[in-house]
Amino acid sequence: MAESVTSKNLALAKAINESLRRALEADPKVLIMGEDVGKLGGVFRVTDGLQKDFGESRVIDTPLAESGIVGTAIGLALRGYRPVVEIQFDGFVFPAYDQIVTQLAKMHARSLGKVKLPVVVRIPYGGGIGAVEHHSESPEALFAHVSGLKIVSPSNASDAYWMMQQAIQSDDPVIFFEPKRRYWDKGEVNTEAIPGPLHRAQVVREGTDLTLVAYGPMVKLCQEVAAAAAEEGKNLEVLDLRSVSPLDFDSIQASVEKTRRLVVVHEAPVFFGSGAEIAARITERCFYHLEAPVLRVGGYHAPYPPARLEEEYLPGLDRVLDAVDRALAY
Amino acid sequence: MTVESTAARKPRRSAGSKAGTTGAERTTRTTARKAAEPELVQLLTPEGKRVKNAKNAEYAKYVAGVTPEELRGLYRDMVLTRRFDAEATALQRQGELGLWASLLGQEAAQIGSGRALRDDDYVFPTYREHGVAWCRGVDPTNLLGMFRGVNNGGWDPNGNNFHLYTIVIGSQTLHATGYAMGVAKDGADSAVIAYFGDGASSQGDVAESFTFSAVYNAPVVFFCQNNQWAISEPTEKQTRVPLYQRAQGYGFPGVRVDGNDVLACLAVTRWALDRARDGAGPTLVEAYTYRMGAHTTSDDPTKYRADEEREAWEAKDPILRLRRYLEASNHTDEGFFAELEAESEALGRRVREAVRAMPDPDRFAIFENVYADGHALVDEERAQFAAYQASFATESDSGFAAGSGGN
Ligand SMILES: Cc1ncc(C[n+]2csc(CCOP(=O)(O)OP(=O)(O)O)c2C)c(N)n1
């Protein structure tokens, strides 16, 4: 298709910015809240320029209190607003964890469905940017374990744009994990496209020998792994989950029935992580198709290390290739 | 007594405030009004003149006997701390540190309070207390490890009764309170001090620490450095009343001190620590100061604050102020300043060399100290990691490794 006015090449952070702008324009009930989201435009500039154009009552600099941010967003949602709150970094969501887990996640059920809480909690997450403590973590499994929350994570600009639209439109609370190390990666965004469902996984590379499953920051790595493996004559399929809860097991199953081998890659610790859930369910669903155990590559059961060791801690090309080789060796 | 009454701050309902019927947002005064700087406890003016008045008399007692030598010591501490801070900022620019949180402008608040402490007192800092660390005798190069990315701490907190830096804002105020509860249970007469910012004052943890410390009469001093900004948010985005007044609602005294006046900070902190030691419970000290630099080296303050503001605060520079006083009182000679200058340069050099020589941690450090008792899973993962690392060695030994990055 020829270059159209509706298609733009945007960095992932900018795609979210434009998506938020569109949501603010479309619905006066949409609010942006968080620390430094106003004049500064957020520490990653994801909300850059929004306060200037929509004013302080729509784009709200909050006091430095995460429990307060999420708790008041719940109240605003009860009053008919659709707050999109920013948690500055992954490690700072925990003061709000109580509000998210005990209140945000459960109010719909407790009210017998009468109350809807269309709150989006944006969390820049993951490592690879050389930051200090609490700025590089991947706590998605801690949220996925809680019913009532939806958890998504885009891997590219187009998904970031559209998934944010869908998250804001959802009547359920959505924890929106943004892969901060991909904020500056550019991609094509068609603002007129009709997006697929929010929770559908997407095959981003077709293959026949093994399926690599990832989401958020690890999708790009898995594509690089597949490219490297291709040079050795291995034909890997890469599946971008896009959503951690709900999880699109049907798409994983379809892929595994074809390739018969599965490696799951995420930054979060492997122990009790989302890979464990995927491995268990896929083993159950595809027991007779699998030629090898489902392998997982991720973080260790250790605190996220200081920046100079994060390359050792994070899954990299070699570690994933190693797992691929092990799976293919069965 | 110490909780000052302020001029009427009752919200005045504006005529437009009943606009709710139109569906428009109710008129609220969302634009930040800079509250007029309420009276501060001040002992030295920006011009370096001693202040004597009824308001500060109670605190002035605590520095009545301060000697010229002690004053020179405070000056030296501030100069060296600033020099260290400048070196760290430069090292960040040169790529030797991943990040730096500068204390520029806050030297008096930190040195004044830090020098008020006894060795057996315990300090719970946030991430910017380089001057307090200096007073505690923590080697400044140890502060740089976490900013360089080689560790997540860098010193033994019990070595100097100076806890590790805390990055999650406000958390340490509860640790300080609990520690102080322990001190009281032990019947010891030491005190505990917790540092935090004006932004952190909004955290639930800080409110809870106020509650606990008051209820248990814990010997803790809450030392809030109100440097006017929390990244891009001015203090008005955290509170509508001067912060020190919050203490009153919890049942303990709060006092606002000129945070750029090292003598006043010393006096007020000594007073608060004395109260703690005497069993009178917690105190909130609000040191009214200014962050002259960026929030951290990743921040861009030009996006949210005007240059004139910084210039106005530069006129209140804590170091210059004491220098003027020392000079006017003939407490120093040229030799003193020249020697200090040389000492500063030497400190800068030492820090620079130490940082450049700082080795990257051993990769197996990832698995160290995860548990005090050990853990089977960590052992298993460490072994897998070792085998994986060894596989590269074998490959490259046999000339195999080309391109597979076994570095
Ligand atoms: C719980 C939590 N939320 C957000 C952050 C990110 N953050 C780091 S420092 C800071 C501003 C703190 O301001 P203040 O408490 O006034 O202290 P200052 O940095 O000015 O000394 C913010 C928002 C954090 N570290 N912890």
Side-chain angles (χ1 to χ4, degrees):
Chain A
M1 194 179 77
E3 204 180 304
S4 90
V5 281
T6 57
S7 185
K8 306 177 191 175
N9 195 254
L10 296 177
L12 192 150
K14 182 68 178 157
I16 299 174
N17 177 277
E18 298 226 343
S19 186
L20 293 173
R21 174 175 291 279
R22 177 171 177 165
L24 284 162
E25 272 163 4
D27 182 353
K29 296 293 187 189
V30 171
L31 303 174
I32 310 288
M33 299 167 64
E35 298 164 9
D36 303 294
V37 298
K39 256 192 192 159
L40 188 65
V43 292
F44 289 106
R45 310 292 185 264
V46 171
T47 55
D48 203 22
L50 298 180
Q51 188 181 69
K52 192 169 129 278
D53 296 339
F54 295 93
E56 286 187 32
S57 66
R58 305 278 313 277
V59 180
I60 304 165
D61 268 333
T62 63
L64 266 59
E66 286 75 9
S67 181
I69 294 170
V70 173
T72 56
I74 291 171
L76 282 158
L78 292 172
R79 180 69 190 180
Y81 285 89
R82 304 185 89 86
V84 182
V85 311
E86 174 174 307
I87 301 293
Q88 205 155 69
F89 280 93
D90 35 68
F92 307 144
V93 70
F94 297 107
Y97 195 64
D98 170 42
Q99 284 288 345
I100 294 173
V101 169
T102 67
Q103 307 303 318
L104 187 63
K106 297 189 167 55
M107 232 176 256
H108 183 68
R110 288 175 57 225
S111 69
L112 308 178
K114 295 286 182 279
V115 161
K116 293 186 172 60
L117 290 181
V119 175
V120 178
V121 181
R122 297 181 35 235
I123 309 178
Y125 83 122
I129 63 162
V132 292
E133 266 197 301
H134 311 301
H135 290 72
S136 305
E137 291 159 23
S138 300
E140 64 274 13
L142 297 175
F143 293 90
H145 198 64
V146 177
S147 54
L149 301 174
K150 292 178 171 180
I151 290 131
V152 302
S153 180
S155 69
N156 59 69
S158 174
D159 272 356
Y161 182 91
W162 282 111
M163 288 167 71
M164 180 59 75
Q165 292 294 305
Q166 294 167 315
I168 294 171
Q169 280 152 20
S170 167
D171 279 336
D172 284 310
V174 178
I175 315 291
F176 198 95
F177 281 104
E178 300 174 4
K180 65 169 90 80
R181 73 154 107 170
R182 307 291 181 219
Y183 267 153
W184 303 278
D185 288 2
K186 288 194 160 187
E188 216 47 46
V189 178
N190 181 344
T191 56
E192 297 296 310
I194 297 166
L198 178 57
H199 303 289
R200 175 163 318 147
Q202 179 122 31
V203 176
V204 291
R205 181 185 176 114
E206 304 239 13
T208 50
D209 297 343
L210 179 147
T211 301
L212 281 173
V213 155
Y215 48 88
M218 290 287 96
V219 172
K220 185 175 172 186
L221 174 71
C222 287
Q223 287 171 306
E224 288 163 4
V225 167
E231 286 176 21
E232 299 169 4
K234 297 163 195 159
N235 188 1
L236 309 188
E237 179 144 308
V238 180
L239 197 61
D240 179 355
L241 285 180
R242 302 167 77 248
S243 171
V244 174
S245 180
L247 245 164
D248 181 0
F249 286 107
D250 291 345
S251 292
I252 310 175
Q253 179 173 352
S255 179
V256 170
E257 284 177 0
K258 180 170 68 162
T259 66
R260 298 175 167 258
R261 287 179 170 83
L262 176 61
V263 174
V264 189
V265 184
H266 52 62
E267 289 190 17
V270 163
F271 191 56
F272 274 86
S274 48
E277 183 60 42
I278 294 168
R281 292 240 186 190
I282 290 304
T283 304
E284 208 175 310
R285 285 189 179 212
C286 308
F287 190 71
Y288 293 106
H289 286 95
L290 283 168
E291 300 277 359
V294 180
L295 298 182
R296 293 164 290 159
V297 184
Y300 300 109
H301 188 62
Y304 195 91
R308 301 246 171 174
L309 285 180
E310 69 178 340
E311 290 309 321
E312 305 284 351
Y313 177 93
L314 290 169
L317 197 73
D318 288 325
R319 265 177 71 201
V320 182
L321 279 171
D322 189 62
V324 167
D325 287 347
R326 277 190 290 131
L328 287 171
Y330 276 89
Chain B
M1 153 195 73
T2 44
V3 179
E4 296 157 54
S5 65
T6 48
R9 295 187 177 278
K10 276 194 215 134
R12 275 161 292 144
R13 202 170 268 281
S14 69
S17 67
K18 297 219 172 72
T21 47
T22 66
E25 178 158 330
R26 227 174 278 174
T27 323
T28 51
R29 291 163 299 133
T30 48
T31 41
R33 310 148 302 153
K34 280 265 175 206
E37 208 172 289
E39 257 186 90
L40 307 164
V41 175
Q42 188 183 69
L43 300 179
L44 273 184
T45 67
E47 297 72 39
K49 302 230 161 55
R50 279 299 292 266
V51 187
K52 286 204 171 70
N53 59 32
K55 181 179 167 58
N56 71 26
E58 184 180 356
Y59 310 103
K61 291 194 295 230
Y62 287 85
V63 291
V66 77
T67 63
E69 199 190 340
E70 282 174 296
L71 288 172
R72 284 194 296 273
L74 294 171
Y75 183 80
R76 175 178 172 271
D77 288 337
M78 289 198 289
V79 167
L80 293 179
T81 299
R82 181 171 289 187
R83 183 66 182 84
F84 163 69
D85 186 71
E87 193 62 43
T89 303
L91 285 163
Q92 196 282 333
R93 299 285 178 235
Q94 293 158 14
E96 299 286 347
L97 301 178
L99 182 83
W100 183 244
S102 166
L103 68 12
L104 185 64
Q106 300 179 217
E107 295 86 354
Q110 296 197 11
I111 301 301
S113 59
R115 284 298 175 209
L117 299 164
R118 263 180 10 201
D119 282 353
D120 60 330
D121 293 338
Y122 212 102
V123 180
F124 287 86
T126 155
Y127 43 77
R128 204 190 289 285
E129 268 66 77
H130 322 312
V132 186
W134 171 263
C135 294
R136 298 308 282 174
V138 175
D139 187 317
T141 60
N142 287 346
L143 303 177
L144 299 170
M146 71 183 288
F147 292 100
R148 186 172 169 87
V150 302
N151 59 47
N152 284 329
W155 60 91
D156 171 6
N158 292 323
N160 306 66
N161 283 8
F162 185 78
H163 190 70
L164 299 173
Y165 278 177
T166 297
I167 287 183
V168 180
I169 56 178
S171 295
Q172 75 283 2
T173 58
L174 280 167
H175 312 154
T177 300
Y179 194 97
M181 288 160 63
V183 167
K185 278 186 195 302
D186 294 345
D189 85 330
S190 50
V192 179
I193 187 165
Y195 289 85
F196 59 101
D198 51 308
S201 75
S202 297
Q203 287 286 346
D205 277 4
V206 174
E208 294 182 24
S209 73
F210 287 0
T211 299
F212 274 69
S213 64
V215 166
Y216 296 106
N217 202 44
V220 58
V221 176
F222 296 106
F223 195 91
C224 176
Q225 287 171 87
N226 177 356
N227 64 12
Q228 312 301 324
W229 293 92
I231 311 188
S232 73
E233 299 192 6
T235 310
E236 287 74 16
K237 286 280 179 233
Q238 317 297 333
T239 181
R240 290 294 182 156
V241 299
L243 285 171
Y244 72 94
Q245 290 181 359
R246 284 213 185 146
Q248 191 177 20
Y250 291 87
F252 54 87
V255 60
R256 179 177 272 183
V257 60
D258 184 336
N260 286 20
D261 172 354
V262 70
L263 210 54
C265 289
L266 178 66
V268 167
T269 312
R270 279 182 175 164
W271 162 81
L273 291 165
D274 256 26
R275 290 188 75 254
R277 294 187 211 295
D278 291 348
T283 306
L284 171 61
V285 176
E286 178 190 0
Y288 201 76
T289 181
Y290 192 72
R291 186 193 87 210
M292 295 222 265
H295 169 70
T296 65
T297 44
S298 328
D299 177 37
D300 175 11
T302 62
K303 297 250 324 178
Y304 55 81
R305 73 182 190 189
D307 291 346
E308 301 85 70
E309 187 183 284
R310 187 192 145 118
E311 284 157 22
W313 277 91
E314 270 170 10
K316 304 184 205 175
D317 187 287
I319 296 186
L320 201 56
R321 174 182 314 207
L322 184 58
R323 180 172 183 136
R324 286 176 177 143
Y325 177 65
L326 286 170
E327 286 175 341
S329 339
N330 289 319
H331 283 335
T332 54
D333 52 33
E334 264 315 305
F336 171 74
F337 295 112
E339 270 169 40
L340 187 51
E341 180 58 32
E343 196 181 357
S344 293
E345 281 318 303
L347 175 66
R349 215 174 313 117
R350 177 164 83 82
V351 167
R352 199 158 56 242
E353 281 160 14
V355 166
R356 291 195 174 137
M358 215 178 261
D360 280 357
D362 183 274
R363 36 177 71 149
F364 287 92
I366 291 173
F367 304 100
E368 275 167 29
N369 301 309
V370 183
Y371 293 89
D373 288 342
H375 188 292
L377 177 61
V378 177
D379 295 342
E380 185 188 320
E381 289 188 348
R382 185 196 291 110
Q384 284 166 357
F385 184 78
Y388 176 66
Q389 299 292 340
S391 72
F392 288 111
T394 329
E395 282 177 24
S396 55
D397 287 350
S398 54
F400 247 97
S404 72
N407 51 344

